[in-house]
Amino acid sequence: METNPPKLKAVIAADARLQKLKTAFENKYGECPAFYASAPGRVNLIGEHIDYCGYAVLPMAIEQSIIAAVSVNQSGSIELANTDPLYRDYSVSCTADIHIDRDNPHWFYYFLCGVKGIQEHCGIRELAGMRCMVDGSIPASSGLSSSSALVCCAGLATMEANHKMLSKVELAEICAKCERYIGTEGGGMDQSISFLAEKGTAKLIQFNPLRSTDVRLPDDAVFVISNSGVAMNKAASNHFNLRVVECRLATKVLGKALGLDSTGLMKLSQVQTELQVSLEEMLRLVEEKLHPEAYSLEELTQSLGTEVLETVLTENTMHVSLFQLYQRSRHVYGEAQRVLRFQSVCESGGADALSQLGALMSQSHASCRDLYECSCPELDRLVDTCLQSGALGSRLTGAGWGGCAVSMVTRDKAESFLRAVREAYYPEDPRRTALEQQRPLGDPLEQQRSLFVSAPARGATISVE
Ligand code: GLA
């Protein structure tokens, strides 16, 4: 099994996107790039908001990616530019401590997260100078992991520029950790699939230790991604971190109620591991031990103590006063069950496999909407539209609160499904239509459109000419 990101021979002339990127690089810096580092986005098929609780998730990489064209030098600085004029240039010294400003999550700070992660992991005192031109085809703030792909791309580029050798698993772990410099407490799914993905297969990603297993998706179904048109940047609000914190608090409260020493417990999966019981039993224990009313800060302070609270709360959740522990843990344990069922249905097939998979996806959406409260009215509307247009299952994908839905459709219905959703959802709001028409068919950047069929793509690569 290959453990390092593959190094490919790039035939620039045959790849319109690389060719454009190469030209942009040459125009900007007056030299040729030495290599290209590429990291894909992902669509999560099922298993939302459970990676940071220690549970397995089931994503696949998508064709859309972040690519950096890179040259290496001894200039003592890292220069960053982007093919999208919306994203401004930035440069930073290789000798100074790399600073990441959490209050202003600009694109280049994500890149610098990756650089810093590799620098620290490999103990590099002085980084090689780099000139980078970055090109992204993953729509930003859409739940398809554009930010993590940028971090992964930067980590890979920094590894290559500094002649280091790391396995895909190491890279995924480093990039999951270093993305937290920007302030979000993500769980590692995005970086793992970006490095571990293989063309043609979805993956079950398991944590502690990080590993991936191929999941063969049914031949007679396709997965369609549709953008709700509502942007969600998880570093720009506290929605995401608040959910992470609620899960940690639920772990502590549940652990304590069950008589466990909850000092080292931070993830809901650890409670299950300690007790050695099934997910079914965990759901029953949540019913028994947690109350559906929100927990107030006072109640939590009384039960856990100030010190424990301080280890759990993040900078942007310090001032929250109510926490929904019962609802969040019911979602997590239920969603963890659905992931395992999804995998087992994919494995065993059977006559009604598609309808079982579809039902699991739709149950996942309902749980995200009602228990985890990470949907929004537009996403709910989009998911309903997808179901009415013939999808067997449909759900929000990624962090939520906006971004995309993923739907499973039988292959023979794909065309009529796309047409029906295009006609029913996008014209309702002129902003959605603008998004849908942004890239005309046949445009090399067609993949940026907001409604498309997606097949499992390959993971991160380095390419040289
Ligand atoms: C974001 C995070 C992931 C995961 C998803 C929700 O994409 O980066 O780690 O938690 O949200 O499933």
Side-chain angles (χ1 to χ4, degrees):
M1 200 180 99
E2 182 181 32
T3 55
N4 301 110
K7 220 173 203 173
L8 306 174
K9 197 107 192 98
V11 186
I12 306 286
D15 186 323
R17 188 171 166 209
L18 279 188
Q19 210 169 19
K20 261 181 84 177
L21 178 57
K22 185 179 181 204
T23 308
F25 185 98
E26 288 167 351
N27 290 343
K28 174 88 186 164
Y29 299 118
E31 59 174 351
C32 283
F35 65 86
Y36 301 83
S38 150
R42 58 101 190 94
V43 58
N44 190 19
L45 300 179
I46 196 155
E48 223 59 83
H49 287 279
I50 59 171
D51 56 348
Y52 51 79
C53 298
Y55 284 111
V57 292
L58 212 157
M60 66 185 192
I62 55 177
E63 282 302 329
Q64 289 85 339
S65 62
I66 306 279
I67 308 182
V70 184
S71 71
V72 186
N73 56 52
Q74 301 301 319
S75 68
S77 68
I78 296 173
E79 294 170 68
L80 303 176
N82 200 301
T83 53
D84 187 334
L86 277 180
Y87 300 124
R88 70 176 163 94
D89 293 2
Y90 193 71
S91 93
V92 58
S93 156
C94 294
T95 45
D97 217 17
I98 294 177
H99 169 70
I100 288 151
D101 185 357
R102 292 177 170 209
D103 298 329
N104 294 298
H106 291 301
W107 76 275
F108 45 81
Y109 286 130
Y110 288 93
F111 197 97
L112 293 179
C113 283
V115 175
K116 197 175 164 86
I118 297 296
Q119 178 177 35
E120 288 182 350
H121 179 88
C122 300
I124 305 173
R125 286 245 309 279
E126 193 165 327
L127 288 161
M130 290 195 280
R131 283 173 155 175
C132 308
M133 176 62 76
V134 176
D135 180 68
S137 61
I138 312 166
S141 305
S142 66
L144 300 178
S145 188
S146 57
S147 41
S148 302
L150 183 53
V151 175
C152 293
C153 170
L156 189 57
T158 309
M159 176 194 91
E160 181 70 10
N162 290 276
H163 307 295
K164 300 290 173 195
M165 208 41 166
L166 295 162
S167 73
K168 296 182 203 176
V169 166
E170 283 173 297
L171 279 161
E173 283 176 337
I174 296 167
C175 290
K177 223 164 95 194
C178 67
E179 191 170 330
R180 303 199 183 118
Y181 290 131
I182 205 86
T184 44
E185 300 283 324
M189 159 171 70
D190 309 346
Q191 300 82 0
S192 305
I193 190 68
S194 194
F195 282 110
L196 301 175
E198 283 168 276
K199 201 172 168 68
T201 177
K203 294 274 185 180
L204 180 80
I205 305 274
Q206 291 165 281
F207 303 94
N208 310 308
L210 176 59
R211 59 214 187 273
S212 69
T213 312
D214 290 0
V215 177
R216 197 190 155 147
L217 298 171
D219 290 333
D220 40 356
V222 294
F223 290 85
V224 178
I225 297 175
S226 48
N227 197 329
S228 70
V230 178
M232 154 60 181
N233 177 344
K234 56 183 191 301
S237 78
N238 78 348
H239 294 323
F240 188 86
N241 280 1
L242 178 55
R243 292 296 177 274
V244 177
V245 163
E246 286 175 315
C247 289
R248 288 182 188 158
L249 289 171
T251 305
K252 299 277 183 200
V253 173
L254 196 56
K256 191 167 173 222
L258 290 163
L260 301 174
D261 171 9
S262 60
T263 328
L265 302 184
M266 283 295 248
K267 295 178 182 176
L268 282 164
S269 62
Q270 292 172 312
V271 180
Q272 190 197 1
T273 310
E274 286 287 313
L275 298 177
Q276 294 285 309
V277 296
S278 64
L279 285 163
E280 199 60 49
E281 177 63 5
M282 286 315 301
L283 282 165
R284 197 194 61 75
L285 289 170
V286 169
E287 291 294 335
E288 192 183 300
K289 303 290 181 193
L290 300 182
H291 57 68
E293 300 76 30
Y295 286 70
S296 69
L297 201 55
E298 295 75 62
E299 182 179 359
L300 291 169
T301 314
Q302 257 174 29
S303 114
L304 303 174
T306 323
E307 238 170 76
V308 172
L309 277 184
E310 274 168 8
T311 62
V312 169
L313 295 172
T314 60
E315 224 172 276
N316 61 357
T317 54
M318 288 288 183
H319 308 290
V320 178
S321 52
L322 290 173
F323 302 87
Q324 306 281 1
L325 308 190
Y326 164 88
Q327 292 81 350
R328 310 307 183 228
S329 21
R330 265 187 60 201
H331 165 79
V332 170
Y333 291 127
E335 186 77 355
Q337 261 182 341
R338 283 185 285 274
V339 170
L340 300 178
R341 287 185 186 144
F342 195 97
Q343 181 204 21
S344 100
V345 175
C346 285
E347 243 168 42
S348 53
D352 63 343
L354 290 190
S355 62
Q356 287 183 45
L357 296 177
L360 287 167
M361 290 175 73
S362 296
Q363 286 158 18
S364 165
H365 182 77
S367 182
C368 285
R369 181 190 60 212
D370 303 333
L371 295 173
Y372 220 69
E373 297 180 277
C374 62
S375 188
C376 66
E378 293 83 352
L379 261 179
D380 292 339
R381 165 90 189 104
L382 176 57
V383 164
D384 286 345
T385 307
C386 290
L387 292 172
Q388 283 155 18
S389 304
L392 294 166
S394 184
R395 55 181 299 279
L396 68 82
T397 184
W401 296 285
C404 288
V406 57
S407 306
M408 193 182 69
V409 185
T410 51
R411 203 171 278 282
D412 56 330
K413 298 240 175 66
E415 276 308 315
S416 62
F417 172 80
L418 290 171
R419 203 173 324 114
V421 177
R422 191 170 292 133
E423 282 166 13
Y425 182 75
Y426 292 94
E428 276 177 359
D429 180 330
R431 278 167 306 177
R432 296 178 197 158
T433 317
L435 200 77
E436 170 55 13
Q437 289 170 350
Q438 214 173 25
R439 306 285 180 193
L441 268 170
D443 185 303
L445 293 177
E446 181 197 325
Q447 63 264 44
Q448 285 201 351
R449 293 162 70 249
S450 47
L451 181 66
F452 54 91
V453 173
S454 188
R458 70 166 182 226
T461 54
I462 297 274
S463 312
V464 286
E465 250 185 286

